[in-house]
Amino acid sequence: MYRSHNNGELRLEHEGMEVLLSGWVQKVRDKGFMVWVDLRDRYGITQLIFDGERTDSEIVDKARSLGREFVIQIKGKVIEREAKNDQMPTGNIEILVSELNILNEAKVPPFTIENETDGGDELRMKYRYLDIRRKPVRDNLIFRSNVTMEVRNYLSKEGFIDVETPYLIKSTPEGARDFVVPSRMNEGQFYALPQSPQTFKQLLMVGGLDKYFQIVKCFRDEDLRADRQPEFTQIDCEMAFVEQEDILNTFEGLVRHLLKEINGVKVADFPRMSYEEAIKTYGNDKPDIRFDMKFGELNNLAQGKGFGVFDSQELVVGIAVPGCSEFSRKQLDQIIDFVKTPQVGAKGLVWVKCNKDGSFKSSVDKFFDQEQLKSWSEELGASAGDLLLVMAGEADKTRTQLSTLRMEMAEQLGLRKPDEFAPLWVVDFPLLEWDEDTKRYHAMHHPFTSPKPEDLELLDTNPGKVRANAYDMVLNGNEIGGGSIRIFDKETQSRMFDLLGFSKEEAQEQFGFLMNAFEYGAPPHGGLAFGLDRLVAIMGGQETIRDFIAFPKNNSGRDVMIEAPSMIDEDQLKELHLKLNLK
């Protein structure tokens, strides 16, 4: 037996007990006459004492030889600590060691295994197995485990069946780039790794399973960012004989349950917001509603007054930033510099101070009088002491730029509180997007999304105006899940493929199996998929997902620990009927 207790459980009530402990050496403090060792495992840290008067001298000398991260086992007696440490659960006791066994020596680690480490991201990812020993990373992985267990428990109680779907599937032209896998036994042919189990979960509904879920790996060969990895995990769900309201209620319930059980937070409500309203009011389709700063359009109030910057533009739009009327000129210049950065791409902005005495001071005073500036403040819902920030330009681009500025100001003002949760549903997305490069429509979600029933007739006359029977769940300014009611009849699905530019032959080749299934009695069905990595990170108070993934990739999509992707040898290439051309 390596241990009788773990390193986080011993307390004063165990005083006098003889125990066996094992773990990693966190720290050694040699005071000459006495040696203290902090012993760490997943559960916590226990202090060991090697006393020259009470411990065999050979064991004390052996303790002095210990290095950081040595794996050891000790036997000893629980005693009360003289200098107690109320910052750790085991801080009232220590172990007077009588036996010491070095199970494995260790090289000096490349960074300190502490809560605050001196290792950079790349170094910690290269030695991820060491990084996992650090409490913040370990706690994140335990947190993720707790979330997934609650998901499984909740969905199982709601009657969902956990079903695995294939990883080796067929490549399709819609969506992001596929990762492809060559087939050795079928020369010149390839599997694709699934971007989602979409068609399979629909087939499970045709099969009559009624409620399906799966916590599943998905793969997309896309450019990476802080909240995206080439392989990611979805909570994938589908239900039969449902309408949109059934789905929204079911998964509101799941998120309420998770926030209550994991974070101890009760969510009052899940507002519903149309895609059009989200874009007009917040400049994006995943608004953070923990704070206000809603957009106000000023065309009628700001144009035609002789200020050419506004008069020549499609949209003049602004926000009221609370409590910032006393910003200095230097602070205002920093905001202007921010909107001119490549990440925003604006040429500048106009500012107006709503002074506490009711007057106004702006960067455009010679064009607008006090009454006109007052009308701006009223339109933007400002109060005395607020700062108006106004931008102008082409509508879509300007809304996006102001949305980025809104989030930046919220960040500066501490309004994006990680322990505050504000979910909402964004609904009524456009079904289709027109692509100028290809001169055809693309599905905004995917080609299996059903149109809103009342918009069906527009498919033939004005497809760009058709709304999708689709919905996204947004949490704290992040899309954490999305789904739709699906097309479940062959005729409508065929019309959709026509609109997306598929020939009959292409549609049959790519999705014939699904179209054929619809001929055998497909029920009305719909579903939703949560991005587990992003959901867990936000619930954990962060927005970067990497520290909630055991072995993440870097921003180039590489696993720097195992050095993947990597070359394969000539014999493997020949077996797969491939030839490498590096010219």
Side-chain angles (χ1 to χ4, degrees):
M1 185 169 71
Y2 283 106
R3 57 189 179 186
S4 59
H5 298 78
N6 64 55
N7 287 311
E9 68 177 302
L10 293 172
R11 302 289 188 272
L12 265 179
E13 60 260 31
H14 298 103
E15 186 179 7
M17 182 183 294
E18 193 165 74
V19 296
L20 285 171
L21 299 180
S22 294
W24 289 265
V25 172
Q26 175 84 9
K27 190 182 295 182
V28 178
R29 299 183 298 283
D30 185 357
K31 298 298 183 183
F33 61 92
M34 204 171 289
V35 178
W36 286 275
V37 173
D38 288 345
L39 188 65
R40 182 192 71 243
D41 62 12
R42 165 191 148 186
Y43 306 95
I45 293 175
T46 297
Q47 179 172 284
L48 314 178
I49 181 170
F50 299 81
D51 184 344
E53 294 183 358
R54 294 176 288 176
T55 308
D56 187 279
S57 60
E58 286 187 13
I59 296 175
V60 176
D61 290 340
K62 198 173 183 180
R64 290 194 176 99
S65 73
L66 296 175
R68 279 191 295 148
E69 302 307 311
F70 275 37
V71 186
I72 65 172
Q73 179 197 41
I74 63 95
K75 184 177 182 180
K77 183 181 291 187
V78 180
I79 61 174
E80 184 174 0
R81 260 172 90 159
E82 289 186 15
K84 295 180 173 58
N85 183 350
D86 59 7
Q87 299 302 305
M88 53 191 293
T90 60
N92 289 333
I93 59 95
E94 58 190 357
I95 310 301
L96 180 62
V97 178
S98 57
E99 294 181 22
L100 169 61
N101 181 19
I102 298 176
L103 301 175
N104 217 334
E105 296 185 358
K107 292 168 63 175
V108 176
F111 53 86
T112 54
I113 314 295
E114 302 275 0
N115 289 359
E116 298 296 329
T117 183
D118 54 0
D121 284 350
E122 285 289 301
L123 185 64
R124 290 189 296 112
M125 288 174 71
K126 183 175 176 63
Y127 297 94
R128 186 62 166 179
Y129 45 86
L130 296 180
D131 201 29
I132 290 171
R133 294 181 190 173
R134 294 175 52 240
K135 187 177 188 301
V137 180
R138 182 177 68 244
D139 286 353
N140 286 347
L141 296 180
I142 293 169
F143 184 86
R144 181 187 177 111
S145 173
N146 292 338
V147 172
T148 58
M149 290 302 295
E150 286 298 335
V151 168
R152 291 186 186 280
N153 291 340
Y154 182 88
L155 292 177
S156 295
K157 287 177 183 175
E158 290 293 314
F160 284 79
I161 302 167
D162 186 355
V163 181
E164 293 182 43
T165 53
Y167 277 176
L168 296 175
I169 65 169
K170 186 177 188 175
S171 182
T172 61
E174 286 291 316
R177 296 184 195 90
D178 287 325
F179 282 100
V180 295
V181 181
S183 171
R184 178 180 60 82
M185 293 182 289
N186 300 276
E187 184 173 352
Q189 296 184 318
F190 296 80
Y191 299 105
L193 299 180
Q195 296 183 32
S196 85
Q198 180 62 45
T199 53
F200 289 101
K201 65 180 180 179
Q202 290 190 248
L203 292 170
L204 289 170
M205 297 303 101
V206 177
L209 284 189
D210 192 68
K211 289 183 176 181
Y212 140 93
F213 87 100
Q214 183 181 189
I215 297 179
V216 60
K217 281 283 187 186
C218 301
F219 308 85
R220 291 178 189 169
D221 191 4
E222 295 183 297
D223 296 333
L224 305 186
R225 59 191 188 209
D227 63 346
R228 180 183 289 162
Q229 290 270 303
E231 54 179 311
F232 57 96
T233 307
Q234 284 187 179
I235 308 168
D236 198 57
C237 307
E238 197 79 1
M239 303 167 70
F241 301 107
V242 290
E243 296 178 334
Q244 177 174 297
E245 198 64 26
D246 301 309
I247 303 239
L248 301 193
N249 289 334
T250 297
F251 295 105
E252 275 185 26
L254 172 60
V255 173
R256 286 182 196 278
H257 175 80
L258 292 176
L259 290 173
K260 180 172 179 283
E261 294 300 318
I262 302 293
N263 297 90
V265 172
K266 289 185 178 180
V267 177
D269 55 22
F270 280 66
R272 311 279 174 90
M273 184 182 301
S274 71
Y275 171 84
E276 184 178 357
E277 180 188 353
I279 295 297
K280 188 173 181 179
T281 310
Y282 296 99
N284 67 74
D285 60 2
K286 46 181 185 297
D288 191 336
I289 59 170
R290 284 175 292 181
F291 52 94
D292 207 359
M293 286 196 272
K294 293 179 180 178
F295 289 13
E297 296 185 7
L298 303 175
N299 290 45
N300 293 336
L301 301 174
Q303 290 183 324
K305 311 296 183 186
F307 185 50
V309 173
F310 285 174
D311 292 346
S312 61
Q313 301 302 332
E314 182 183 1
L315 177 68
V316 182
V317 63
I319 56 174
V321 184
C324 294
S325 66
E326 296 181 359
F327 267 25
S328 68
R329 187 55 196 248
K330 180 180 178 181
Q331 288 173 298
L332 293 170
D333 286 343
Q334 287 173 341
I335 297 171
I336 294 169
D337 289 342
F338 172 77
V339 301
K340 290 180 177 179
T341 59
Q343 76 183 88
V344 184
K347 293 181 180 178
L349 60 78
V350 167
W351 54 263
V352 181
K353 293 183 176 183
C354 304
N355 296 321
K356 292 181 179 178
D357 64 3
S359 66
F360 299 90
K361 174 65 179 171
S362 80
S363 56
V364 287
D365 278 346
K366 69 177 180 178
F367 296 97
F368 300 94
D369 61 30
Q370 290 289 297
E371 282 304 311
Q372 289 166 334
L373 295 177
K374 181 181 179 182
S375 71
W376 292 16
S377 73
E378 290 171 350
E379 183 65 27
L380 299 180
S383 301
D386 290 353
L387 174 69
L388 311 184
L389 299 176
V390 181
M391 303 178 76
E394 187 243 312
D396 290 345
K397 184 183 293 185
T398 303
R399 285 193 179 104
T400 300
Q401 292 165 347
L402 187 59
S403 175
T404 305
L405 177 59
R406 175 180 179 268
M407 296 296 277
E408 173 64 20
M409 297 309 300
E411 194 70 44
Q412 288 185 23
L413 298 174
L415 301 177
R416 303 189 69 203
K417 299 174 183 176
D419 58 350
E420 186 178 320
F421 298 96
L424 78 151
W425 289 106
V426 177
V427 298
D428 294 348
F429 286 84
L431 181 69
L432 304 165
E433 292 179 294
W434 180 257
D435 188 296
E436 278 297 331
D437 294 333
T438 59
K439 301 296 181 186
R440 68 183 181 91
Y441 285 109
H442 289 265
M444 190 162 188
H445 283 76
H446 54 61
F448 316 109
T449 298
S450 172
K452 298 283 279 191
E454 57 268 35
D455 291 357
L456 259 176
E457 61 184 33
L458 294 174
L459 280 176
D460 297 322
T461 59
N462 195 352
K465 291 293 185 183
V466 178
R467 293 170 301 161
N469 210 338
Y471 34 82
D472 281 355
M473 185 183 285
V474 176
L475 182 61
N476 295 1
N478 293 269
E479 178 204 331
I480 59 166
S484 66
I485 298 299
R486 321 302 186 190
I487 297 168
F488 68 98
D489 66 283
K490 185 174 180 179
E491 181 185 346
T492 306
Q493 188 65 72
S494 183
R495 288 170 72 191
M496 182 64 127
F497 286 142
D498 290 342
L499 279 171
L500 296 173
F502 287 86
S503 68
K504 297 295 183 187
E505 293 74 19
E506 288 171 335
Q508 182 62 34
E509 180 186 345
Q510 295 293 334
F511 302 109
F513 63 93
L514 185 66
M515 304 280 276
N516 294 340
F518 285 173
E519 295 185 307
Y520 290 93
H525 60 283
L528 178 142
F530 288 99
L532 177 65
D533 308 305
R534 194 177 301 171
L535 172 62
V536 169
I538 294 168
M539 290 178 63
Q542 302 178 38
E543 291 188 11
T544 303
I545 65 176
R546 283 200 308 214
D547 277 349
F548 291 85
I549 298 172
F551 299 103
K553 308 286 190 293
N554 69 7
N555 287 341
S556 300
R558 294 194 61 82
D559 186 323
V560 295
M561 182 182 68
I562 63 172
E563 290 298 331
S566 63
M567 304 293 286
I568 61 174
D569 64 37
E570 195 70 30
D571 289 341
Q572 283 178 290
L573 287 171
K574 286 178 181 176
E575 280 189 336
L576 296 169
H577 319 290
L578 298 175
K579 185 179 287 186
L580 197 61
N581 185 353
L582 295 177
K583 290 182 181 179

